[in-house]
Amino acid sequence: MTTPAPDPTQLLKCLPLFQELLPEQLQAIAAASRQRRLSRGGMLFQKGDPAHGFYVVVSGQIKLAFPSLQGNEKVIEILGPQQSFGEAVMFMGRPYPVFAEAMSESLLLCIGGEAVFALLERDPGFARRMLAGLSLRLHTLVQDIETYSQRSATQRLVGFLLQLYPQGASGSHEIRLPASKQVIASRLNLTPETLSRIFHELSNSGVIEVHGKTVVIPDLTRLREYDL
Amino acid sequence: MTTPAPDPTQLLKCLPLFQELLPEQLQAIAAASRQRRLSRGGMLFQKGDPAHGFYVVVSGQIKLAFPSLQGNEKVIEILGPQQSFGEAVMFMGRPYPVFAEAMSESLLLCIGGEAVFALLERDPGFARRMLAGLSLRLHTLVQDIETYSQRSATQRLVGFLLQLYPQGASGSHEIRLPASKQVIASRLNLTPETLSRIFHELSNSGVIEVHGKTVVIPDLTRLREYDL
DNA sequence: CGTACCTTTGATGTGAATCAAGAGTAGTGG
DNA sequence: CCACTACTCTTGATTCACATCAAAGGTACG
């Protein structure tokens, strides 16, 4: 039933973060990492759990979110293959500020903190790549704040769709939503009802067509206009 | 008129980031840094400017914000002495995503990127502190998003006041607002009108007293209850 | 002491949440 | 293959928090 365990070294070397490491360094990291399988709905960690390392998504999808008293959680990020998370928390030796749940059958690599710290000692280039990676995330978050605070619900959705649109690809004009509309609504800080209504409006004005999880964009330029 | 230029090395060694550097390392950093004076309203950099280094506030106050078409800008952060900013952008070699403006007569240290990169090569401990510093910022931003998206205007203000409240200090019960109410409103993603009304409500219910920029908190516990 | 900017106060407007059903859609097991 | 349950998604009516508009005090400072 379960797919065969892939070689961790192979997986690691595909990550931007580890791109330029020497084989022996890769080995060291690989040795300090464990694989972790989760089925849909499985919890990787809870908010408040202590962090001993960071994670890389190999396959599947993981969502990071805040639990909420009334069960309506707030999704911070939806992570796919090749994306990593938890580095920041590891460096600070703090508990996780969010929880992580698998949205589908997922495979993860869990990389122990000690190995990273050891590598940091020896390879300044590694430090620099790590720093750059973290900076990128910071940058993204700053933009998220801009988004949340200055843009309407419609603009947020359009921005999201545009971001999903394969770079420069002018062929297909078709997007597959990466998650259920509920989850996307939460990511965009909207209720499912509102999201539904906006999809409807955009359809009516002919800017997009929605068929289940498929969104067709007949005129990219026109959609972009909503993005201000 | 201008205060005498202080010794950059003295300033640097007070910063958490540079706390444990060797004197010669401090020298190197100091050599690569320039001082920068700004008067109230002076611009340090604009959104979109290229980043060649990062900044440390020595004295005064700097605000980081997004420009906005209609002139109503969105304040991301208000930075005081000892705080630094721009590291993330420097590592990515990207232009600044926000602009920086002095809110009062300010003195800054501008630290060149090359010196930092060089130090990174030699001192893994420095790398680690840098990483931790950046991680902390990331953490804060994630919390900011939680704040913006899940909390009411009143809760945001109370949270802000609580954060301003000197740690554990049970003596004074008195806070000085670090900026004009306008600016604070923006930082909390509110209009000045709304902020004013909330201050009024909180005063009426006796949880706080407001006198200009001074806020008195007669009962800390009661204020905390608003914070949920 | 006057001009320019903060801050307050009141009246009104609105985007999105909430509440409340209903309509698909998808797995489950007989 | 067809109910049976359980979601996810839509649609409409209503509400509410906060923004916007407008105008009047306050305060700071050249």
Side-chain angles (χ1 to χ4, degrees), chain B residues 151-153 189-191 193-194 197:
Chain B
R151 318 187 69 183
S152 71
N189 215 29
L190 298 172
T191 55
E193 293 95 323
T194 301
R197 287 184 239 272

Side-chain angles (χ1 to χ4, degrees), chain B residues 31-45:
Chain B
S33 68
R34 302 189 326 270
Q35 288 185 234
R36 186 89 192 260
R37 267 174 207 288
L38 288 171
S39 45
R40 183 173 207 285
M43 282 302 194
L44 189 58
F45 52 75

Side-chain angles (χ1 to χ4, degrees), chain B residues 51-95:
Chain B
H52 303 298
F54 74 99
Y55 294 88
V56 178
V57 183
V58 177
S59 66
Q61 280 182 320
I62 303 292
K63 85 173 167 209
L64 266 30
F66 294 110
S68 161
L69 310 163
Q70 307 87 330
N72 48 10
E73 58 197 33
K74 168 71 190 80
V75 177
I76 293 292
E77 221 160 0
I78 303 167
L79 297 155
Q82 306 268 325
Q83 293 193 279
S84 62
F85 57 100
E87 305 93 325
V89 179
M90 174 185 81
F91 284 112
M92 289 193 301
R94 293 246 213 133

Side-chain angles (χ1 to χ4, degrees), chain B residues 152-218:
Chain B
S152 71
T154 305
Q155 288 176 320
R156 298 208 290 275
L157 175 55
V158 170
F160 181 77
L161 291 177
L162 250 21
Q163 194 174 8
L164 243 48
Y165 200 85
Q167 327 286 27
S170 48
S172 82
H173 299 293
E174 201 172 295
I175 300 174
R176 284 241 94 203
L177 296 179
S180 75
K181 293 183 183 171
Q182 263 189 136
V183 171
I184 291 172
S186 175
R187 167 75 248 270
L188 297 174
N189 215 29
L190 298 172
T191 55
E193 293 95 323
T194 301
L195 181 67
S196 176
R197 287 184 239 272
I198 295 175
F199 266 131
H200 199 95
E201 282 167 33
L202 290 175
S203 296
N204 277 345
S205 39
V207 198
I208 62 173
E209 281 169 47
V210 185
H211 305 110
K213 288 197 173 179
T214 306
V215 177
V216 182
I217 304 181

